[in-house]
Amino acid sequence: MEALRFQVVGEAFKKKPLDVKAPSERPYEYFGKKVFNREKMYKYLPKDVYEKMVDVIDNGSRLDRAVADAVAAGMKQWAVENGVTHYTHWFQPLTEGTAEKHDSFIEHDGKGGMVEEFTGKLLVQQEPDASSFPSGGIRSTFEARGYSAWDPTSPVFIIDDTLCIPTVFISYSGEALDYKAPLKRALHAVNVAATDVCHYFDPAVKKVQSNLGWEQEYFLVDEGLYAARPDLLLTGRTLMGHDSAKNQQMDDHYFGAIPERVAAFMRDLEIQALELGVPCKTRHNEVAPNQFELAPIFEETNLAVDHNMMLMSLMKKVARKHGFRVLLHEKPFAGINGSGKHNNWSLSTDNGILLHAPGKTPEANLRFATFIVETLMGVYKHNGLLKASIMSATNAHRLGANEAPPAIVSSFLGKQVSELLDHIETADKDFLAMAGKQGLKMDIPEIPELLIDNTDRNRTSPFAFTGNRFEFRAVGSEANCASAMIALNSAVAEALVDFKKRVDAKIPEFEKKLAGTEHSAKFHAIIDVLREDIKTCKPIRFDGNGYSDEWVAEAEKRGLDVEKSCPKIFERYLDEASIAMFESLGVMTKKELEARNEVKWETYTKKIQIEARVLGDLSMNHIIPVATHYQSELLKNVGNMAVVFPIETADKLSARNKKIIEEIAERTFAIEKGVEELVEARKKANKIENEHDKAIAYHDEVEPKLDTIRYEIDKLELIVDDALWPLPKYRELLFIR
């Protein structure tokens, strides 16, 4: 064991960066090289088919099978020219990953030979086995049929020799078994609701698009060291390990010079990602040692989610080529920062207006205030649901750990936006006046251009306004962004629908009051409803320190969800308000929500169960044997001292070793006892049939025992001979040479 550990550590430090040669073209020239984008469609499709496809993508028109056949023919020609032999429907089941089943193009030609075919039928629909994917009881094992259906709004792409077709995944009875189907419904809902509200300000708006810019944080560790850590291999995080003497306390890693091996990996990753159409923009060292970040340019939300899932898969593949392993677990190492995936979210119109950005006219600023306030209304009403959308067994380790937002959803607005909303709420009723073609005049200073960069950054806020968008900072590193985007876009859509309903109801009232004046009833109605909503959603606004104990108490007073138990947080999906919202918008049915919660509870249980089994194995088969072996060596030393020296001298010289011997005995006994209790707690929890109750049992009774055992192991790491310790330590895992 000694030789193995020091061999893998030594090999890790000797690694040299691969020579990554970038293409001879500039990035914009090879961007999208492996994507069947509009440029490829224009080249490989007939003109009328291309125009129909553009209409489908831009306007949501229906795609008929005749067009699908023509598109499939063009796709196949392009794919074959690029060495493709297989195709797959690429979908996102409820596993947080992606799935694919590869089929070749070949078919019998009826003459004893083979031909390559790819029809519209194969493009549009495939039938993967639905019984082996998480379904929450929607599908039984003997009910295997499920369907994947092409999403034309997300371009197909090539990975190696396979044409990958982004699809939704549904059961035989029509329920969504994936993330994409409800995401597309939520995006449709927010488009319709936001467009209707936009018509108060600009009747020409035809469409509102949800945008997403994710920031992917991740860790890199040397592959050899990773292989020597069974806990990393099986759970994605270190279940034991004492702090390194140096970690992130010097603040020298953040934005520091990128290590040569890592830079080579990043170049390779970016080249391949750009070829797949992922618009990589930013790369840098993050706060913790061996932690890094990649961020793209903003995109339409559905496409951005697909690109993030592609990237997470790609980065694992590229990392191995460079002798690394990527860790996407939110908290792979105790004592240092974990990894998030900040979701920068905004809404924009088809004529290029960012709805969360201030404008240069009073009308534009009223529109800005409207979308800010109604976003806050959605977040306030469904703050517990939004927390549930980002919660997981892994992200629970990160949230509230003085490095990430707390497990309480609130929104930071900054001084000027807060003052703007306060002014609208308290200003005199007669502060509005119309003046010819100048439009609405408000006694609010025109500050749009100052607002853009005049909000500070609040790292403790889970949902912070950052000038022209909101940053949902609580999303976890390994999560599918779709989960958070489904909840957020649905919540905002519901708020906008309710806003328009109440404004429309008030307009006739103001038409009577303002008869014969130049005042606008519509804008008076908007201001009146805004005032109501600003008062209603005020509890969600918090610009202070989200890490403080005072905020937890204050948040509870405000009626915000302060629950910390992951399984209980999932219950928010089944609140009456959540079910009513999702069903009214056509995003998900009660049956689908119940099924998804079954999956969430079961997944939580399995993750803790695996961690418990791995920790038990490592404790009994790695740590205790090594500790007792070292203890035996010390006992021999004590015995030899008694032979060589007089008793008094021997006792004096052996005092330290005797103390260590005693401590090892106490700690190994505590570990063994802890493992026994852990096994019993697991057995007891496993007898519970209800997935909700079982998950709570694992949270309350099983998970705390992991920390108890770890504490004893980490103390042993400090006293056992370094040459004997079986696992790579933090000081070796966290610093790339």
Side-chain angles (χ1 to χ4, degrees):
M1 182 62 71
E2 171 188 347
L4 174 61
R5 173 169 164 243
F6 283 99
Q7 180 182 350
V8 296
V9 171
E11 290 299 318
F13 288 168
K14 286 191 272 184
K15 291 274 177 70
K16 299 293 183 183
L18 290 181
D19 182 19
V20 180
K21 294 183 179 179
S24 57
E25 312 102 314
R26 300 299 298 167
Y28 67 86
E29 294 179 284
Y30 59 82
F31 177 74
K33 176 182 177 182
K34 296 184 178 180
V35 181
F36 195 69
N37 52 23
R38 296 193 188 209
E39 178 188 358
K40 311 292 193 321
M41 286 194 293
Y42 188 81
K43 179 178 179 181
Y44 287 91
L45 301 181
K47 187 173 184 295
D48 62 324
V49 174
Y50 169 78
E51 290 173 350
K52 288 178 181 178
M53 275 298 297
V54 169
D55 189 37
V56 168
I57 295 168
D58 289 346
N59 304 315
S61 303
R62 288 203 171 274
L63 182 73
D64 60 56
R65 287 300 176 99
V67 173
D69 283 333
V71 173
M75 275 185 190
K76 174 177 166 288
Q77 181 184 348
W78 169 70
V80 169
E81 289 175 5
N82 283 274
V84 169
T85 57
H86 290 68
Y87 66 93
T88 182
H89 275 201
W90 180 84
F91 56 98
Q92 300 166 30
L94 303 178
T95 58
E96 301 299 328
T98 59
E100 50 199 65
K101 174 174 72 78
H102 296 198
D103 288 312
S104 71
F105 287 139
I106 62 169
E107 299 286 350
H108 286 294
D109 67 355
K111 304 173 184 177
M114 290 286 182
V115 295
E116 288 191 315
E117 285 187 358
F118 184 59
T119 63
K121 178 182 178 181
L122 299 176
L123 167 63
V124 169
Q125 182 176 315
Q126 199 176 50
E127 187 187 332
D129 185 339
S131 64
S132 296
F133 289 103
S135 71
I138 286 179
R139 306 298 292 154
S140 300
T141 302
F142 61 87
E143 297 174 314
R145 197 180 297 277
Y147 298 107
S148 53
W150 176 36
D151 172 15
T153 64
S154 185
V156 303
F157 55 94
I158 295 172
I159 297 288
D160 298 326
D161 64 352
T162 303
L163 184 70
C164 299
I165 305 161
T167 64
V168 300
F169 181 44
I170 61 173
S171 73
Y172 180 71
S173 47
E175 293 89 2
L177 297 175
D178 69 342
Y179 282 105
K180 181 182 275 286
L183 174 63
K184 290 187 70 66
R185 294 171 188 156
L187 296 178
H188 174 71
V190 81
N191 167 30
V192 172
T195 300
D196 284 347
V197 172
C198 278
H199 288 164
Y200 287 139
F201 309 97
D202 182 1
V205 172
K206 296 178 181 177
K207 180 181 178 182
V208 171
Q209 175 177 289
S210 170
N211 307 299
L212 171 62
W214 41 263
E215 304 169 26
Q216 180 69 59
E217 294 176 345
Y218 60 95
F219 282 87
L220 290 176
V221 295
D222 187 87
E223 188 163 26
L225 300 177
Y226 174 88
R229 291 282 312 215
D231 49 355
L232 274 181
L233 184 68
L234 297 175
T235 73
R237 75 177 181 112
T238 53
L239 299 176
M240 60 188 71
H242 198 279
D243 289 352
S244 171
K246 179 182 185 297
N247 47 53
Q248 67 185 50
Q249 69 265 49
M250 297 301 294
D251 299 322
D252 56 348
H253 193 260
Y254 192 48
F255 285 9
I258 299 171
E260 190 178 2
R261 282 181 63 201
V262 177
F265 156 76
M266 287 178 168
R267 284 194 295 273
D268 201 358
L269 175 62
E270 285 182 3
I271 290 166
Q272 295 190 46
L274 286 166
E275 288 181 340
L276 288 169
V278 182
C280 300
K281 176 72 173 178
T282 303
R283 66 189 186 200
H284 63 81
N285 285 9
E286 255 300 332
V287 173
N290 280 16
Q291 187 186 33
F292 309 95
E293 180 178 297
L294 183 152
I297 299 170
F298 276 60
E299 299 181 283
E300 184 275 326
T301 295
N302 177 53
L303 182 58
V305 169
D306 283 359
H307 279 167
N308 183 245
M309 299 304 291
M310 289 163 55
L311 182 90
M312 288 195 291
S313 177
L314 180 64
M315 68 197 316
K316 293 175 184 177
K317 176 181 173 183
V318 175
R320 297 196 68 174
K321 175 182 168 184
H322 289 260
F324 290 124
R325 285 296 188 118
V326 168
L327 303 181
L328 294 175
H329 191 290
E330 283 79 5
K331 191 75 169 178
F333 303 103
I336 63 172
N337 279 19
S339 295
K341 179 152 50 192
H342 305 161
N343 278 207
N344 294 279
W345 169 85
S346 66
L347 297 174
S348 61
T349 66
D350 56 312
N351 55 0
I353 301 297
L354 278 173
L355 296 177
H356 291 108
K360 296 184 178 180
T361 65
E363 291 92 336
N365 277 336
L366 182 59
R367 179 189 62 214
F368 162 70
T370 296
F371 279 91
I372 290 288
V373 172
E374 295 315 309
T375 297
L376 293 176
M377 279 292 288
V379 174
Y380 169 61
K381 183 176 179 181
H382 296 287
N383 69 93
L385 173 66
L386 287 172
K387 182 165 68 174
S389 76
I390 54 85
M391 185 53 69
S392 67
T394 54
N395 203 22
H397 291 288
R398 164 181 165 263
L399 293 178
N402 284 357
E403 67 197 60
I408 302 169
V409 173
S410 64
S411 184
F412 165 82
L413 296 180
K415 181 181 178 182
Q416 289 199 351
V417 178
S418 294
E419 288 179 349
L420 173 68
L421 300 191
D422 292 342
H423 191 72
I424 293 174
E425 179 188 351
T426 59
D428 189 277
K429 284 275 186 180
D430 297 325
F431 80 107
L432 297 173
M434 297 295 293
K437 293 184 179 180
Q438 292 180 0
L440 178 70
K441 281 191 176 291
M442 305 170 66
D443 66 341
I444 299 171
E446 293 188 17
I447 53 173
E449 292 175 353
L450 291 176
L451 268 170
I452 295 296
D453 293 313
N454 207 25
T455 57
D456 200 352
R457 300 290 298 275
N458 188 329
R459 296 180 63 83
T460 74
S461 177
F463 194 74
F465 180 67
T466 57
N468 58 9
R469 63 189 183 275
F470 282 92
E471 184 179 20
F472 197 1
R473 296 177 56 85
V475 183
S477 174
E478 69 177 2
N480 187 323
C481 296
S483 179
M485 291 296 100
I486 291 166
L488 176 58
N489 283 284
S490 297
V492 174
E494 182 191 52
L496 290 169
V497 168
D498 182 63
F499 172 80
K500 185 174 188 303
K501 181 180 179 181
R502 288 182 293 137
V503 169
D504 287 349
K506 283 180 178 287
I507 288 175
E509 296 177 27
F510 281 104
E511 284 177 341
K512 292 179 181 178
K513 291 179 183 178
L514 301 172
T517 73
E518 297 181 4
H519 293 181
S520 165
K522 176 177 65 176
F523 286 110
H524 271 277
I526 290 172
I527 291 292
D528 215 49
V529 174
L530 279 183
R531 282 177 170 153
E532 295 173 2
D533 289 351
I534 289 170
K535 292 175 183 175
T536 300
C537 70
K538 192 168 286 187
I540 204 70
R541 291 162 52 187
F542 178 67
D543 288 1
N545 179 11
Y547 295 155
S548 68
D549 292 336
E550 292 80 7
W551 167 234
V552 177
E554 172 64 21
E556 191 167 12
K557 285 181 184 177
R558 295 185 183 193
L560 302 182
D561 192 309
V562 298
E563 179 61 60
K564 294 182 179 179
S565 167
C566 184
K568 290 181 180 178
I569 289 170
F570 291 149
E571 295 171 8
R572 300 288 71 75
Y573 273 99
L574 300 181
D575 287 346
E576 288 185 12
S578 299
I579 294 171
M581 176 189 73
F582 284 125
E583 289 195 328
S584 67
L585 297 173
V587 174
M588 284 185 281
T589 64
K590 182 179 180 181
K591 182 179 180 182
E592 287 173 316
L593 290 166
E594 290 173 338
R596 282 164 190 266
N597 261 32
E598 287 290 301
V599 172
K600 288 177 183 293
W601 286 317
E602 185 178 7
T603 300
Y604 178 87
T605 295
K606 288 178 177 177
K607 284 185 178 290
I608 306 302
Q609 186 181 70
I610 291 169
E611 288 188 353
R613 294 177 67 182
V614 170
L615 183 60
D617 172 59
L618 288 176
S619 298
M620 303 305 295
N621 297 318
H622 290 68
I623 303 305
I624 288 180
V626 166
T628 52
H629 175 71
Y630 181 54
Q631 186 183 48
S632 297
E633 294 297 315
L634 293 178
L635 284 166
K636 289 179 185 177
N637 178 269
V638 170
N640 291 337
M641 288 283 190
V643 172
V644 174
F645 298 103
I647 293 177
E648 288 185 6
T649 304
D651 286 345
K652 182 179 179 180
L653 295 175
S654 302
R656 178 180 177 277
N657 284 352
K658 287 179 179 178
K659 184 178 179 182
I660 295 174
I661 290 167
E662 183 179 357
E663 184 176 352
I664 289 174
E666 290 173 352
R667 295 199 184 281
T668 53
F669 175 78
I671 292 169
E672 190 168 2
K673 183 172 182 290
V675 171
E676 289 175 0
E677 292 175 353
L678 181 65
V679 171
E680 287 305 310
R682 236 176 48 231
K683 287 180 179 178
K684 184 177 178 181
N686 289 341
K687 292 178 181 178
I688 301 172
E689 294 186 4
N690 180 279
E691 291 295 346
H692 168 266
D693 295 345
K694 184 188 291 187
I696 289 177
Y698 262 87
H699 177 273
D700 293 349
E701 305 298 332
V702 177
E703 188 176 21
K705 291 179 171 54
L706 301 180
D707 292 334
T708 302
I709 295 168
R710 176 181 186 146
Y711 175 82
E712 302 295 342
I713 293 174
D714 289 356
K715 290 297 183 182
L716 280 179
E717 184 182 315
L718 293 177
I719 61 174
V720 171
D721 185 351
D722 183 63
L724 293 177
W725 195 254
L727 305 174
K729 298 183 177 182
Y730 273 22
R731 67 168 185 258
E732 296 152 357
L733 290 165
L734 288 174
F735 297 95
I736 292 172
R737 300 294 189 269

